[in-house]
Structures are given as C-alpha cells and as structure tokens.
Amino acid sequence: MKKIKNAFNDPISKSNLKDKAYNWLVMLFQKGGTRPKQNLSRLVIHSTKIYDPEDSFKKGYENGEGELFIYTPHGMWYIINNSGKYSDLSLNNVETPNGGAIGHRLVYDDTLDTLIRIYTEENKYTGEKLY
C-alpha cells in the first residue's frame, strides 16, 4: 500500500498506475468474468459499494456512457453503459431505464478489489437513483 500511496503523490506515476490497473481490470472481467442477464436497479439495491470512476456514469448516464464497479454479496460487477445513439444494443445483458449496459461479473477477490480502488480512486457513485 505504501507503493500505491507514493505513486499517487506523483501525477505521472499516478496516471501510469491507474492505466495499468484499468488494463488489468478490463482483461480480468472480459476474459474471466461471466455475463449473466441482470437488471441494474436490482444490482444497485443489493450493492454494498458502487464506484464511479471520475463520475463517468453520473456525467454520461443520459447519453448512454460511463462505467461503474458494483459490489454485491454475490460478486463484483463491471458495468459499461451501452445505450448511446450509436451503441450496439445486442451486446447488452444488463437492463437499464435508458436502454442497457454491458455487465461482467467476477467473484470477490482482494487483488481485484485493490485494482478497482486504484482505478476509481474509491470515488463513490453520487448520481441519480438507479432504481
């Protein structure tokens, strides 16, 4: 944890660390995760934590953009809003009021949690209610 704190003190190191964490997250969720059908409001109601990196979901929700990391008792979800004007809705497995999202689920893992916390800087979702 000391290395992470030190990296966050330098803007370039922080950016590099966040980029590496994001690349690992995408790879882990897309290659190792499952994509069960789900409803965003159900995930949110049962969530223990919701991280919104740089408020991307809060700012982009109405345009079908943004991403969330949702912790539930049954796993960790990586949600990519996919309901914009040019989105391929056939990729969606998570129902949302605006049209849908792509969701990948993995079982809770400490390393995965650390990567999510690095990438999101533990920025909690503060947008409109999602249920």
Side-chain angles (χ1 to χ4, degrees):
M1 288 309 222
K2 187 175 180 181
K3 283 184 179 182
I4 294 170
K5 287 181 182 178
N6 288 341
F8 268 60
N9 288 331
D10 174 51
I12 294 171
S13 294
K14 177 181 175 181
S15 178
N16 289 338
L17 181 60
K18 285 181 67 171
D19 286 348
K20 286 178 186 176
Y22 178 73
N23 290 336
W24 274 101
L25 287 167
V26 169
M27 194 247 333
L28 290 168
F29 274 103
Q30 289 182 352
K31 301 264 190 246
T34 59
R35 295 199 44 206
K37 295 253 183 232
Q38 189 53 269
N39 184 294
L40 183 63
S41 63
R42 184 175 167 88
L43 285 175
V44 169
I45 288 169
H46 295 287
S47 69
T48 56
K49 264 191 274 199
I50 303 175
Y51 290 132
D52 184 5
E54 297 179 4
D55 290 332
S56 68
F57 204 87
K58 177 181 175 179
K59 293 175 186 172
Y61 180 68
E62 289 188 15
N63 297 324
E65 299 170 354
E67 54 191 8
L68 294 171
F69 291 89
I70 301 176
Y71 292 58
T72 70
H74 302 290
M76 304 165 90
W77 287 77
Y78 173 39
I79 304 293
I80 305 158
N81 199 353
N82 188 48
S83 57
K85 187 175 180 179
Y86 301 105
S87 297
D88 181 354
L89 302 180
S90 70
L91 299 173
N92 294 344
N93 60 309
V94 177
E95 292 177 42
T96 69
N98 283 4
I102 300 167
H104 301 275
R105 179 182 69 187
L106 284 169
V107 175
Y108 181 87
D109 178 84
D110 285 337
T111 302
L112 188 61
D113 175 54
T114 300
L115 290 169
I116 291 170
R117 290 180 19 220
I118 289 169
Y119 175 64
T120 64
E121 296 184 55
E122 299 184 60
N123 184 53
K124 293 191 176 166
Y125 177 73
T126 60
E128 297 292 322
K129 284 190 176 181
L130 297 173
Y131 57 91

